[in-house]
Amino acid sequence: MPADIVEPQQQRSREKFARVLEATARLLETTSYDDLGTKLIAAEAGVSIGVLYRYFPDKEAIVGALVTRWLRLDVEIAERVTAPPLPDTARDFIAGLVTAYAERFRREPGYRKVWYHGPRIPAVDAFGKETDREISAHVHRALVARYGLPDTHATRRRVHLSVDVGAHLLNLAFRELPDGDPEILADAVVMMERFLFADVPAGPGSSPGDGGRP
């Protein structure tokens, strides 16, 4: 959460806080960031402007809090997809990971608008980098435990790069198409798997041609 935002602890206040974020996400589906205003958000959320300002100093802080919430959910997706039981092949595992994040673009109100047309918010940059590290750590553990990827500094670096490249390919897939470009999504799986297992000996649960080392 941005440093100037303190999420309330009381249940009623937490509900109002959440309503403001949800209203902002809905509005971003049809309203540009430039046209988005705190009065509009308050009306959509069903709260007074005074209540809104009790939690957020301006609209950038609201969008920053919304993005932070999405980043937390990104980590939860990684936790879910990397939890046992895992698919038989590494390629199926990576495909499941790509699919799970693709669904965020398809179903989360405002998600595409913020990534492509929202402001860069320095307050959440550090949180975003930490999110990438957490996702990479979950993916690395699963690849080591189930698919025979060696547990080394080199493979941790390779996984982190793959997660970063995968995120860029997802952004590219959904830039013009609300449902995503299926060819780019399929290519993302192939590129990530081949890079991850290039020159890495195959292990349990993976074999050439079926999702392990190519």
Side-chain angles (χ1 to χ4, degrees), residues 166-179:
H168 283 294
L169 289 171
L170 278 165
N171 288 340
L172 182 61
F174 285 90
R175 184 172 296 278
E176 303 295 338
L177 301 175
D179 288 328

Side-chain angles (χ1 to χ4, degrees), residues 137-193:
H138 285 295
V139 173
H140 185 261
R141 281 194 292 270
L143 290 169
V144 169
R146 181 68 178 89
Y147 306 107
L149 191 74
D151 186 4
T152 66
H153 172 76
T155 58
R156 285 191 291 273
R157 175 180 175 276
R158 193 175 287 187
V159 170
H160 186 76
L161 285 172
S162 295
V163 168
D164 193 35
V165 168
H168 283 294
L169 289 171
L170 278 165
N171 288 340
L172 182 61
F174 285 90
R175 184 172 296 278
E176 303 295 338
L177 301 175
D179 288 328
D181 185 318
E183 292 184 349
I184 294 177
L185 294 174
D187 286 342
V189 175
V190 175
M191 291 170 66
M192 291 172 69
E193 186 224 10

Side-chain angles (χ1 to χ4, degrees), residues 2 39 49 59 73 79 93 113 135-136 142 151-152 160 170 191 194:
K39 290 183 180 180
I49 192 69
K59 70 175 181 180
L73 290 174
E79 291 173 346
F93 166 71
K113 282 289 191 73
I135 292 172
S136 297
D151 186 4
T152 66
H160 186 76
L170 278 165
M191 291 170 66
R194 290 187 177 179

Side-chain angles (χ1 to χ4, degrees), residues 1-7 55 57 60-61 64-65 68 121-127:
M1 197 67 64
D4 56 347
I5 302 299
V6 178
E7 195 164 351
Y55 307 124
E60 181 177 295
T68 300
I121 303 175
V124 300
D125 281 354
F127 194 80

Side-chain angles (χ1 to χ4, degrees), residues 32-46:
S32 70
Y33 178 79
D34 289 340
D35 291 336
L36 190 68
T38 51
K39 290 183 180 180
L40 186 62
I41 294 170
E44 177 71 17

